[in-house]
Structure formats: structure tokens, C-alpha cells
Amino acid sequence: MTLAQLDLTGDLARPARLTVPELLGWPQHRVRVSFECATSGTQVHRFEGPRLYDVLSSAGPGFDPVRRKDRLRFLIAVSGADGHHALLSWAEIDPDFAHAPVLLAVSIDDTPLDRAGPQLVLPQDRCGARHISGIRAIRVDGGYRSLPPVPATPGLGSAEVR
């Protein structure tokens, strides 16, 4: 049996290539999720797997852990085998901010995802569009620190004082 692999890349001290059996080494969380699917209506499933935060934290994201605001510039791009993509901010999953219980599911309805690969599960989303199946890559990117400030354009959202 060939196992699907997930590549963790980007601004990480310890990039990694992981399989579903390796993801079983993190604490497992179980959630029952109901979400709306555009093509097949309301879906209800049970997912189990580690939290995305735990897996990415162990890979050593490249922010200064002492400076909370440094984390806010980090984005997480998730890509599935079928070409679907989702983007999250680090603040969504960080316990100091939104602390969303985002999972890298290793099973759905008690069926292991060893061959298909893990699934991104966002229990807080009403719509299932960010549930990415068969994750092949997760990229952590914090390269937004040096963007210059954007000057206000008169008439486009700026208030003129008289």
C-alpha cells in the first residue's frame, strides 16, 4: 500500500515530509462537523487527527515567539491532490488569538485516510470550501515584514478634514 505524503515547507526551522501514520504521533482530537457543501448539500462527518497548530509548531515557524505580533504576518497555504487550495492566517490557529481547532484529519467517519492523505478540517466554518482533501503540501510564509505603508488615495476611503 502506498501512503500519501504531505510536505511542510516555507519559513520553518524543520521542514518535513509526513504520512498519516506519522501524524498519529501527535495528540488526536475528535470533532463532529456539519457544513454546507455547494454540490451535495449539508454534510455531517466525524473527523479525528492532530491540530494543525501542534504540527506546524513542532516544525519551528520562523517568527519570534516572544513577540506576539510577529506571528500575525504568517500565512498558511494548504494544497490538495485535486488542485484545491486554502489560505489561513497563523492568528486563526494560535491559542493567543482565535485558537480555531483546525485539524489535519487522519480519519473521516472512522475510516483511515492513509492512502488518500490527511484532510484539512475547519469545524468553525459554516461552508466546507476550506476542507481540503488529500493534502499534499502546507507552506508557512512570513515574508510580509518589509511591505512599505500604502499612502491614502484621496476619495477612496480617506476622510478629508475641512
Side-chain angles (χ1 to χ4, degrees), residues 24-107:
L24 290 168
W26 275 273
Q28 301 294 296
H29 301 271
R30 191 175 185 99
V31 294
R32 185 173 186 266
V33 178
S34 174
F35 58 89
E36 295 175 22
C37 179
T39 57
S40 53
T42 301
Q43 300 287 307
V44 179
H45 295 287
R46 287 181 323 278
F47 296 96
E48 186 169 353
R51 288 205 171 153
L52 178 62
Y53 175 82
D54 294 338
V55 173
L56 293 182
S57 291
S58 75
F63 51 73
D64 181 346
V66 177
R67 295 179 47 227
R68 282 185 178 163
K69 287 187 178 182
D70 195 35
R71 298 174 236 176
L72 299 180
R73 65 184 166 85
F74 278 71
L75 298 176
I76 304 162
V78 181
S79 301
D82 60 0
H84 282 93
H85 305 280
L87 188 63
L88 295 91
S89 71
W90 187 271
E92 284 183 80
I93 64 170
D94 193 300
D96 284 341
F97 297 98
H99 198 207
V102 178
L103 295 185
L104 288 176
V106 296
S107 70

